[in-house]
PDB file of all heavy atoms in Angstrom:
ATOM      1  N   GLN A1120       5.220  14.664  13.393  1.00 53.00           N
ATOM      2  CA  GLN A1120       5.369  13.812  12.221  1.00 53.00           C
ATOM      3  C   GLN A1120       4.363  12.686  12.239  1.00 53.00           C
ATOM      4  O   GLN A1120       4.469  11.684  11.487  1.00 53.00           O
ATOM      5  CB  GLN A1120       6.789  13.187  12.130  1.00 53.00           C
ATOM      6  CG  GLN A1120       7.845  14.298  11.915  1.00 53.00           C
ATOM      7  CD  GLN A1120       7.761  14.980  10.601  1.00 53.00           C
ATOM      8  OE1 GLN A1120       7.954  14.356   9.530  1.00 53.00           O
ATOM      9  NE2 GLN A1120       7.525  16.274  10.618  1.00 53.00           N
ATOM     10  N   ASP A1333       5.950   9.214   7.962  1.00 90.00           N
ATOM     11  CA  ASP A1333       7.152   8.374   7.844  1.00 90.00           C
ATOM     12  C   ASP A1333       6.899   6.903   8.079  1.00 90.00           C
ATOM     13  O   ASP A1333       7.755   6.170   8.564  1.00 90.00           O
ATOM     14  CB  ASP A1333       8.253   8.836   8.805  1.00 90.00           C
ATOM     15  CG  ASP A1333       8.860  10.205   8.406  1.00 90.00           C
ATOM     16  OD1 ASP A1333       8.740  10.504   7.227  1.00 90.00           O
ATOM     17  OD2 ASP A1333       9.435  10.893   9.238  1.00 90.00           O
ATOM     18  N   VAL A1335       6.791   4.366   6.104  1.00 93.00           N
ATOM     19  CA  VAL A1335       7.664   3.494   5.392  1.00 93.00           C
ATOM     20  C   VAL A1335       8.952   3.252   6.248  1.00 93.00           C
ATOM     21  O   VAL A1335       9.416   2.126   6.427  1.00 93.00           O
ATOM     22  CB  VAL A1335       8.054   4.045   4.007  1.00 93.00           C
ATOM     23  CG1 VAL A1335       9.065   3.134   3.308  1.00 93.00           C
ATOM     24  CG2 VAL A1335       6.750   4.074   3.143  1.00 93.00           C
ATOM     25  N   SER A1336       9.584   4.363   6.694  1.00 90.00           N
ATOM     26  CA  SER A1336      10.842   4.253   7.450  1.00 90.00           C
ATOM     27  C   SER A1336      10.668   3.613   8.769  1.00 90.00           C
ATOM     28  O   SER A1336      11.662   3.178   9.392  1.00 90.00           O
ATOM     29  CB  SER A1336      11.514   5.581   7.518  1.00 90.00           C
ATOM     30  OG  SER A1336      10.788   6.451   8.345  1.00 90.00           O
ATOM     31  N   LEU A1339      11.407   0.317   7.389  1.00 91.00           N
ATOM     32  CA  LEU A1339      12.550   0.350   6.444  1.00 91.00           C
ATOM     33  C   LEU A1339      13.360   1.623   6.684  1.00 91.00           C
ATOM     34  O   LEU A1339      13.218   2.631   5.900  1.00 91.00           O
ATOM     35  CB  LEU A1339      12.116   0.221   5.010  1.00 91.00           C
ATOM     36  CG  LEU A1339      11.232  -1.018   4.668  1.00 91.00           C
ATOM     37  CD1 LEU A1339      10.660  -0.863   3.244  1.00 91.00           C
ATOM     38  CD2 LEU A1339      12.052  -2.257   4.774  1.00 91.00           C
ATOM     39  N   PRO A1340      14.114   1.705   7.742  1.00 90.00           N
ATOM     40  CA  PRO A1340      14.828   2.943   8.153  1.00 90.00           C
ATOM     41  C   PRO A1340      15.666   3.597   7.077  1.00 90.00           C
ATOM     42  O   PRO A1340      15.794   4.770   6.973  1.00 90.00           O
ATOM     43  CB  PRO A1340      15.670   2.553   9.324  1.00 90.00           C
ATOM     44  CG  PRO A1340      15.001   1.305   9.920  1.00 90.00           C
ATOM     45  CD  PRO A1340      14.447   0.621   8.699  1.00 90.00           C
ATOM     46  N   SER A1341      16.221   2.771   6.216  1.00 89.00           N
ATOM     47  CA  SER A1341      17.149   3.231   5.138  1.00 89.00           C
ATOM     48  C   SER A1341      16.402   4.121   4.106  1.00 89.00           C
ATOM     49  O   SER A1341      17.043   4.845   3.346  1.00 89.00           O
ATOM     50  CB  SER A1341      17.882   2.107   4.444  1.00 89.00           C
ATOM     51  OG  SER A1341      16.962   1.310   3.783  1.00 89.00           O
ATOM     52  N   LEU A1342      15.054   4.049   4.098  1.00 89.00           N
ATOM     53  CA  LEU A1342      14.270   4.772   3.086  1.00 89.00           C
ATOM     54  C   LEU A1342      13.663   6.053   3.631  1.00 89.00           C
ATOM     55  O   LEU A1342      12.821   6.676   2.962  1.00 89.00           O
ATOM     56  CB  LEU A1342      13.162   3.861   2.527  1.00 89.00           C
ATOM     57  CG  LEU A1342      13.597   2.624   1.749  1.00 89.00           C
ATOM     58  CD1 LEU A1342      12.400   1.837   1.282  1.00 89.00           C
ATOM     59  CD2 LEU A1342      14.498   3.015   0.568  1.00 89.00           C
ATOM     60  N   LYS A1343      14.084   6.464   4.816  1.00 86.00           N
ATOM     61  CA  LYS A1343      13.456   7.652   5.448  1.00 86.00           C
ATOM     62  C   LYS A1343      13.499   8.841   4.582  1.00 86.00           C
ATOM     63  O   LYS A1343      12.487   9.517   4.342  1.00 86.00           O
ATOM     64  CB  LYS A1343      14.139   7.994   6.813  1.00 86.00           C
ATOM     65  CG  LYS A1343      13.465   9.172   7.521  1.00 86.00           C
ATOM     66  CD  LYS A1343      14.069   9.384   8.887  1.00 86.00           C
ATOM     67  CE  LYS A1343      13.461  10.598   9.563  1.00 86.00           C
ATOM     68  NZ  LYS A1343      12.004  10.512   9.743  1.00 86.00           N
ATOM     69  N   ASP A1344      14.667   9.237   4.053  1.00 83.00           N
ATOM     70  CA  ASP A1344      14.755  10.433   3.158  1.00 83.00           C
ATOM     71  C   ASP A1344      14.067  10.268   1.823  1.00 83.00           C
ATOM     72  O   ASP A1344      13.460  11.182   1.304  1.00 83.00           O
ATOM     73  CB  ASP A1344      16.185  10.808   2.932  1.00 83.00           C
ATOM     74  CG  ASP A1344      16.883  11.372   4.228  1.00 83.00           C
ATOM     75  OD1 ASP A1344      16.103  11.883   5.092  1.00 83.00           O
ATOM     76  OD2 ASP A1344      18.104  11.290   4.330  1.00 83.00           O
ATOM     77  N   ALA A1345      14.199   9.066   1.230  1.00 87.00           N
ATOM     78  CA  ALA A1345      13.644   8.836  -0.045  1.00 87.00           C
ATOM     79  C   ALA A1345      12.137   8.739  -0.055  1.00 87.00           C
ATOM     80  O   ALA A1345      11.469   9.096  -1.054  1.00 87.00           O
ATOM     81  CB  ALA A1345      14.233   7.531  -0.623  1.00 87.00           C
ATOM     82  N   ARG A1346      11.529   8.204   1.015  1.00 89.00           N
ATOM     83  CA  ARG A1346      10.086   7.919   0.971  1.00 89.00           C
ATOM     84  C   ARG A1346       9.275   8.747   1.991  1.00 89.00           C
ATOM     85  O   ARG A1346       8.000   8.614   1.971  1.00 89.00           O
ATOM     86  CB  ARG A1346       9.857   6.458   1.219  1.00 89.00           C
ATOM     87  CG  ARG A1346      10.443   5.544   0.177  1.00 89.00           C
ATOM     88  CD  ARG A1346       9.631   5.463  -1.116  1.00 89.00           C
ATOM     89  NE  ARG A1346       8.282   4.961  -0.912  1.00 89.00           N
ATOM     90  CZ  ARG A1346       8.009   3.651  -0.792  1.00 89.00           C
ATOM     91  NH1 ARG A1346       9.000   2.734  -0.962  1.00 89.00           N
ATOM     92  NH2 ARG A1346       6.786   3.226  -0.636  1.00 89.00           N
ATOM     93  N   SER A1347       9.825   9.553   2.795  1.00 88.00           N
ATOM     94  CA  SER A1347       9.045  10.330   3.708  1.00 88.00           C
ATOM     95  C   SER A1347       8.151  11.305   2.980  1.00 88.00           C
ATOM     96  O   SER A1347       8.515  11.886   1.958  1.00 88.00           O
ATOM     97  CB  SER A1347       9.968  11.111   4.639  1.00 88.00           C
ATOM     98  OG  SER A1347       9.210  12.022   5.476  1.00 88.00           O
ATOM     99  N   LEU A1348       6.935  11.520   3.489  1.00 88.00           N
ATOM    100  CA  LEU A1348       6.035  12.485   2.903  1.00 88.00           C
ATOM    101  C   LEU A1348       6.207  13.854   3.564  1.00 88.00           C
ATOM    102  O   LEU A1348       5.460  14.769   3.238  1.00 88.00           O
ATOM    103  CB  LEU A1348       4.562  11.992   3.076  1.00 88.00           C
ATOM    104  CG  LEU A1348       4.247  10.708   2.299  1.00 88.00           C
ATOM    105  CD1 LEU A1348       2.816  10.307   2.626  1.00 88.00           C
ATOM    106  CD2 LEU A1348       4.444  10.905   0.818  1.00 88.00           C
ATOM    107  N   SER A1349       7.160  13.993   4.425  1.00 80.00           N
ATOM    108  CA  SER A1349       7.447  15.268   5.050  1.00 80.00           C
ATOM    109  C   SER A1349       8.045  16.261   4.076  1.00 80.00           C
ATOM    110  O   SER A1349       8.876  15.862   3.213  1.00 80.00           O
ATOM    111  CB  SER A1349       8.391  15.085   6.207  1.00 80.00           C
ATOM    112  OG  SER A1349       8.844  16.370   6.657  1.00 80.00           O
ATOM    113  N   SER A1352      11.912  16.536   3.703  1.00 51.00           N
ATOM    114  CA  SER A1352      12.772  15.541   3.029  1.00 51.00           C
ATOM    115  C   SER A1352      13.109  16.077   1.662  1.00 51.00           C
ATOM    116  O   SER A1352      12.269  16.628   0.901  1.00 51.00           O
ATOM    117  CB  SER A1352      12.057  14.244   2.948  1.00 51.00           C
ATOM    118  OG  SER A1352      11.767  13.699   4.219  1.00 51.00           O
ATOM    119  N   GLN A1354      15.502  14.192  -0.645  1.00 54.00           N
ATOM    120  CA  GLN A1354      16.043  13.207  -1.530  1.00 54.00           C
ATOM    121  C   GLN A1354      14.982  12.859  -2.575  1.00 54.00           C
ATOM    122  O   GLN A1354      13.800  12.735  -2.259  1.00 54.00           O
ATOM    123  CB  GLN A1354      16.441  11.920  -0.816  1.00 54.00           C
ATOM    124  CG  GLN A1354      17.047  10.862  -1.754  1.00 54.00           C
ATOM    125  CD  GLN A1354      17.530   9.632  -0.986  1.00 54.00           C
ATOM    126  OE1 GLN A1354      17.833   9.728   0.199  1.00 54.00           O
ATOM    127  NE2 GLN A1354      17.641   8.514  -1.638  1.00 54.00           N
ATOM    128  N   ARG A1397       4.443  14.218  -2.222  1.00 89.00           N
ATOM    129  CA  ARG A1397       4.688  15.343  -1.305  1.00 89.00           C
ATOM    130  C   ARG A1397       4.002  16.594  -1.783  1.00 89.00           C
ATOM    131  O   ARG A1397       3.414  17.363  -1.002  1.00 89.00           O
ATOM    132  CB  ARG A1397       6.195  15.549  -1.210  1.00 89.00           C
ATOM    133  CG  ARG A1397       6.948  14.512  -0.478  1.00 89.00           C
ATOM    134  CD  ARG A1397       8.416  14.681  -0.590  1.00 89.00           C
ATOM    135  NE  ARG A1397       9.242  13.588  -0.017  1.00 89.00           N
ATOM    136  CZ  ARG A1397      10.471  13.311  -0.320  1.00 89.00           C
ATOM    137  NH1 ARG A1397      11.105  14.052  -1.218  1.00 89.00           N
ATOM    138  NH2 ARG A1397      11.031  12.315   0.249  1.00 89.00           N
TER     139      ARG A1397
END
Side-chain angles (χ1 to χ4, degrees):
Q1120 298 292 296
D1333 288 338
V1335 174
S1336 65
L1339 303 170
S1341 64
L1342 296 180
K1343 181 175 177 61
D1344 289 337
R1346 296 284 297 279
S1347 173
L1348 295 176
S1349 169
S1352 299
Q1354 183 176 336
R1397 289 170 186 161

